[in-house]
Amino acid sequence: MSVRNVWFLFNLRESPFYQEALQAGGGPRPVEQLFVGRDRDVTRILNTIFSSGGSSRQAISGVPGVGKSSLAQYIKARVSHDGLLSTPEPVALGHADDLDTVATRILGYIYQAVVANGDDETRRQEAVEDVRQLVRAFRTTTGVSVGISSPIGGFTAGRSQTYVTPSTARPSTVMSDLLRRLAVVVRGHLGAAGVLVHVNNLENLAEADATRAARLMRDLRDHALLIDGYHWILVGTTDAIRRVVFSTDQVRTVVEGPRVLSPLPLDDVFQVLARRYDVLRADPTKPVIPPVTEDVVRNVFTLFRGDLRGTMAALHTASEELVSFGGEATSPLAMSDVRAVLHERYQEELSTRLGADADRVAVLAEQVSAEQSFTQKQAERWWRVSQTETSRTVGALIRAGYVVEVSDASARCPDTPNKAPPESRHETSKQRMPRGRRAVLYALSGAARLVFDPLADAADRPV
């Protein structure tokens, strides 16, 4: 059996429907070349950074797959031209992280930003060396910094005095001191304006215990968020940002936002694909054959309610599977080609991945249309299970990709037409942020709709 790169049939080096976030720097997904749209969001974020002196804090929120991480990467690329350092990989969070773990990841991120923009002399700077050894010690001892941590009071003498320190000092207790000393290196030695710190996926931190996650963010306020020389972008789903960042007065009063991202307009989605086709062209002397028609893109993007990542995954699946099994890329695949393969693939995955929970997705599909949303309280009534079981199931369906959190002002809940809570697209005033939690709205994802409503009449739906 011959093995081939099916994307060569379209004159592409690889799939243009990749789902990874774009990256600042010299990676394979160059954000400055591929990023499209969001001019107002970009302008507001940049204006906040450059109007805030030496420190700022902003939150970017929205539904999964809307492009939050790519926007943060684009901001990092833009500010690099104005002397703000960063690294392509963000500070990643996990549901079990404690303050010391997060402190170590932040210090590691800033260390990488400094050494990537410096030289051997930069690495020999005392503050840089101290951070390197602290991060290494904490990681190799799985959370216990043994005898290598920096003194809380700073350094006033030579290296011999630097390490006469208590072995019980932890990253969180020395973090603020190290950040201040690194800021001196950034400005004095490198001549840069500061560091932009990108903290990603706050929903991971909130997954196990939102109250603990909010307390951790509150503790980071004085240890890190307010220190001069650093600008912060905190990224997460809308509900995670509210629960982790804006649930305490201490943090809410110092963080701008959240900037709630709307789905890209359809014209921008077409532009995203056009740029990817151009960058991935295999033979520059020949045109690219778009793998799918514009009608397919329009229908699938509508079904996925603006989830660009989910849209790309579906287009990748359909294109690769159809061409891999004997198809020829003489023209873009049409809706009739794509519909059956997506329905069959997602139907098989639903039962394989979810087991008994698949029946509960079917119940949701009976109760809510593609344009409607629902709350956990409604799901509890439809499923006839306890609140705890409902919460578990909704979480499992979100992780599996069959239910999504939505922040769509036009969404309607069954039984309560036109009474869905309004959602500001750009909540910039801290005074307007609600103190209590509003009901979270959910919807079936495009993957679920492909099982129960497989695009049969998608072309007739409004975009």
Side-chain angles (χ1 to χ4, degrees):
M1 181 179 67
S2 62
V3 178
R4 60 180 178 173
N5 181 345
V6 299
W7 300 104
F8 283 163
L9 298 173
F10 302 103
N11 195 28
L12 294 165
R13 297 194 307 273
E14 61 177 283
S15 171
F17 305 127
Y18 51 81
Q19 296 101 60
E20 303 93 337
L22 306 179
Q23 278 202 335
R29 316 287 186 222
V31 69
E32 289 189 282
Q33 191 172 359
L34 294 170
F35 188 81
V36 170
R38 304 217 180 276
D39 292 341
R40 292 184 64 185
D41 296 302
V42 170
T43 298
R44 288 177 176 177
I45 293 170
L46 293 177
N47 284 347
T48 297
I49 290 173
F50 293 113
S51 301
S52 303
S55 178
S56 67
R57 295 144 299 276
Q58 299 183 73
I60 298 175
S61 68
V63 298
V66 78
K68 302 182 295 296
S69 297
S70 289
L71 173 59
Q73 293 284 5
Y74 183 67
I75 294 298
K76 290 193 290 186
R78 287 286 301 269
V79 300
S80 67
H81 304 303
D82 296 284
L84 282 180
L85 311 181
S86 64
T87 68
E89 291 297 328
V91 177
L93 300 175
H95 69 274
D97 289 350
D98 58 14
L99 184 59
D100 284 317
T101 304
V102 175
T104 302
R105 289 187 180 144
I106 290 172
L107 289 169
Y109 174 100
I110 296 168
Y111 170 83
Q112 293 296 334
V114 170
V115 299
N117 289 275
D119 51 20
D120 289 342
E121 185 180 349
T122 305
R123 293 175 180 270
R124 290 193 294 269
Q125 295 291 308
E126 190 173 275
V128 176
E129 177 65 14
D130 289 340
V131 171
R132 184 186 69 83
Q133 294 205 37
L134 174 64
V135 170
R136 175 185 291 179
F138 187 81
R139 288 175 177 170
T140 57
T141 56
T142 62
V144 180
S145 180
V146 182
I148 310 179
S149 50
S150 308
I152 298 175
F155 301 92
T156 58
R159 174 67 52 189
S160 62
Q161 293 187 8
T162 298
Y163 286 93
V164 182
T165 60
S167 62
T168 56
R170 304 186 66 85
S172 58
T173 65
V174 297
M175 182 183 190
S176 58
D177 178 73
L178 288 171
L179 289 178
R180 291 187 179 93
R181 294 171 56 223
L182 284 174
V184 173
V185 175
V186 169
R187 290 169 167 170
H189 178 72
L190 297 178
V195 179
L196 179 63
V197 185
H198 171 196
V199 181
N200 215 44
N201 293 336
L202 265 72
E203 57 270 21
N204 292 343
L205 196 63
E207 183 177 317
D209 186 343
T211 301
R212 182 183 64 83
R215 188 163 53 246
L216 187 153
M217 189 60 61
R218 182 194 63 197
D219 292 340
L220 280 176
R221 187 190 107 134
D222 294 329
H223 286 294
L225 297 181
L226 296 182
I227 293 179
D228 187 58
Y230 300 93
H231 299 268
W232 301 80
I233 291 182
L234 311 173
V235 179
T237 62
T238 305
D239 189 51
I241 290 291
R242 285 200 181 100
R243 291 192 289 166
V244 176
V245 178
F246 291 100
S247 61
T248 64
D249 289 337
Q250 295 94 327
V251 180
R252 180 171 57 245
T253 54
V254 300
V255 177
E256 293 285 340
R259 308 203 183 280
V260 183
L261 298 192
S262 303
L264 284 175
L266 187 60
D267 286 346
D268 283 355
V269 176
F270 290 134
Q271 189 177 353
V272 166
L273 289 174
R275 291 195 182 183
R276 293 184 179 190
Y277 296 157
D278 187 57
V279 168
L280 295 175
R281 187 192 304 258
D283 184 344
T285 67
K286 297 179 181 179
V288 168
I289 300 174
V292 296
T293 65
E294 289 190 355
D295 182 55
V296 171
V297 175
R298 180 182 299 106
N299 278 278
V300 174
F301 186 66
T302 300
L303 194 69
F304 276 80
R305 302 173 64 123
D307 176 357
L308 187 61
R309 185 167 60 230
T311 298
M312 293 298 177
L315 297 178
H316 173 89
T317 296
S319 301
E320 188 171 58
E321 184 156 328
L322 285 167
V323 177
S324 294
F325 291 94
E328 291 297 331
T330 56
S331 62
L333 300 171
M335 199 69 242
S336 57
D337 302 312
V338 170
R339 181 182 298 125
V341 68
L342 289 181
H343 173 61
E344 183 178 350
R345 170 64 68 87
Y346 284 109
Q347 188 174 48
E348 180 182 348
E349 287 186 356
L350 179 70
S351 57
T352 301
R353 296 183 65 183
L354 294 181
D357 283 341
D359 292 337
R360 291 178 179 171
V361 180
V363 171
L364 293 176
E366 292 176 355
Q367 296 291 338
V368 295
S369 69
E371 294 77 27
Q372 288 179 320
S373 303
F374 63 93
T375 65
Q376 284 202 26
K377 192 68 176 177
Q378 289 172 311
E380 180 183 337
R381 185 171 73 248
W382 297 330
W383 290 335
R384 299 179 182 179
V385 297
S386 68
Q387 181 180 3
T388 300
E389 177 63 8
T390 299
S391 180
R392 183 207 65 78
T393 304
V394 169
L397 298 183
I398 289 174
R399 288 189 293 275
Y402 295 102
V403 165
V404 293
E405 176 193 329
V406 297
S407 55
D408 187 348
S410 64
R412 294 190 298 108
C413 290
D415 306 326
T416 56
N418 302 321
K419 292 184 180 180
E423 185 77 54
S424 171
R425 293 301 186 193
H426 299 286
E427 297 182 73
T428 57
S429 169
K430 295 190 254 321
Q431 285 71 30
R432 289 202 300 269
M433 287 304 301
R435 291 183 177 272
R437 284 189 62 196
R438 67 181 68 177
V440 180
L441 296 178
Y442 303 94
L444 284 177
S445 71
R449 285 296 173 193
L450 282 165
V451 175
F452 298 102
D453 184 19
L455 300 175
D457 60 348
D460 299 325
R461 293 174 185 154
V463 177

